[in-house]
Amino acid sequence: MTQQNKKPIAFFDSGVGGLTVYAKVKKLLPKENCIYFGDTKHMPYGEKTESQLIDYADRIFKFFEGENAKAVVMACNTTSAITYEKLKDKYNFRIYPIIQTVSARIAKLENLKRICIIATPATINSHAYSKEISKYNENIEVYEIPAPNWVKIVEEHRINHIESIAEVKNILEQAQKHNPDKIVLGCTHYPYLMNILKRFEAEEKFIDPSVYFAENIKQDLQNNGLLNDSFEYEKFYVSSNPENFKTASELFYKLKKLPELKNV
Ligand code: DGL
């Protein structure tokens, strides 16, 4: 193994959402060293402007550059939609944006005629999913539905509140009106809501893109001779409120200690 292989894979999101991706990648690649940055100070990303999102992502990329990352996982649909094209040629590490990476897989699923994307307002306004999916399959009808409050429900530990259940049901019903064959959870926070979602729709109807994403990341690292063979560390950082992050994360990834506070 070279020093390059031992370098970490770096993940980021606005908060705990990216851990849904992190957990899947760790399962497929347990020997990788990893770092994770949750930009909790700027959460929710889905309500931010393009220039704000580019500024946040650029600072995080610089931090990852300083940490010697061999690859960066944009475990956030919103930043993948808004910032990837602007930043992709600026850094030397490999960059994996979730939407652009998984859309080919989604577009090639069998018997898919109508699909609904539920995502943050910024992702929906960018139409990134419909643009990417239509590159691979022009015959799929794509309906896009914003879910403005779902991220905060997860981050503020309100998953089981009556109002949260009503909010999730209300958005889901807007998707169901289109009679979709599949519903894409187009924000990495949304798998935290699966226990509510499956009360109102069959679990098989939902696509959690992180499943495809993790497989593609593994494949690409393998193809480029970048896999590691001995795990040494994983490190978690947040830009505010480490306690909140640790509590909110528990459904997907149990942190052994509080994440380190870091302003990038
Ligand atoms: N989890 C992120 C996403 O996939 C960001 C959500 C947010 O902070 O609004 O879009």
Side-chain angles (χ1 to χ4, degrees):
M1 283 290 116
T2 66
Q3 285 308 315
Q4 179 70 2
N5 297 76
K6 291 182 190 303
K7 289 178 177 177
I9 307 174
F11 298 71
F12 80 99
D13 182 38
S14 63
V16 295
L19 291 174
T20 59
V21 173
Y22 186 84
K24 297 213 172 54
V25 173
K26 280 296 280 183
K27 204 163 177 197
L28 286 184
L29 299 171
K31 293 179 180 162
E32 292 299 321
N33 295 317
C34 293
I35 58 180
Y36 184 100
F37 184 80
D39 193 7
T40 43
K41 189 162 127 191
H42 300 122
M43 186 281 300
Y45 274 0
E47 295 171 17
K48 300 294 189 293
T49 63
E50 176 175 320
S51 62
Q52 285 174 311
L53 290 167
I54 291 173
D55 179 47
Y56 305 151
D58 199 30
R59 285 161 189 258
I60 295 167
F61 280 17
K62 281 200 188 88
F63 168 57
F64 288 160
E65 198 172 43
E67 294 285 305
N68 279 322
K70 65 181 173 188
V72 169
V73 177
M74 300 179 83
C76 171
N77 291 261
T78 309
T79 45
S80 300
I82 313 292
T83 73
Y84 173 65
E85 284 301 323
K86 302 274 181 337
L87 297 175
K88 68 179 177 15
D89 300 321
K90 214 178 146 180
Y91 293 89
N92 281 332
F93 36 62
R94 303 192 75 70
I95 302 176
Y96 304 117
I98 183 164
I99 299 177
Q100 293 82 344
T101 309
V102 302
S103 289
R105 299 277 297 269
I106 294 173
K108 288 173 193 158
L109 290 174
E110 276 178 26
N111 301 323
L112 200 58
K113 295 198 179 65
R114 274 182 308 281
I115 190 164
C116 265
I117 314 293
I118 304 180
T120 67
T123 300
I124 295 301
N125 291 338
S126 75
H127 303 292
Y129 265 106
S130 56
K131 284 182 202 157
E132 286 296 320
I133 289 173
S134 68
K135 281 187 196 166
Y136 304 100
N137 186 341
E138 286 183 341
N139 300 320
I140 300 179
E141 288 170 38
V142 184
Y143 299 93
E144 296 168 300
I145 309 209
N149 299 317
W150 286 15
V151 169
K152 282 192 181 162
I153 290 175
V154 173
E155 292 282 344
E156 293 169 4
H157 326 135
R158 290 189 282 110
I159 294 178
N160 293 317
H161 292 196
I162 291 174
E163 304 79 34
S164 307
I165 296 168
E167 174 76 26
V168 171
K169 184 167 181 268
N170 170 35
I171 303 284
L172 183 59
E173 280 170 357
Q174 293 176 37
Q176 286 165 323
K177 278 189 197 133
H178 298 288
N179 196 18
D181 303 307
K182 291 282 180 194
I183 299 172
V184 175
L185 300 178
C187 167
T188 53
H189 281 77
Y190 298 171
Y192 285 85
L193 300 170
M194 187 49 88
N195 277 340
I196 309 179
L197 291 164
K198 69 184 188 194
R199 285 202 212 169
F200 307 110
E201 183 59 89
E203 199 169 349
E204 307 76 66
K205 191 75 129 206
F206 296 100
I207 296 177
D208 172 359
S210 65
V211 178
Y212 304 138
F213 195 28
E215 289 170 4
N216 279 42
I217 291 166
K218 178 179 175 186
Q219 193 63 57
D220 187 80
L221 289 170
Q222 204 160 17
N223 292 347
N224 288 285
L226 284 173
L227 289 180
N228 190 21
D229 66 357
S230 60
F231 172 74
E232 282 160 88
Y233 63 90
E234 62 175 352
K235 292 187 216 159
F236 295 89
Y237 301 93
V238 290
S239 49
S240 76
N241 214 339
E243 292 83 6
N244 188 67
F245 182 90
K246 187 164 184 293
T247 311
S249 71
E250 276 176 6
L251 213 53
F252 269 88
Y253 202 80
K254 278 206 185 308
L255 270 59
K256 293 188 185 78
K257 53 180 190 165
L258 279 183
E260 190 178 315
L261 197 55
K262 188 105 207 153
N263 267 313
V264 298

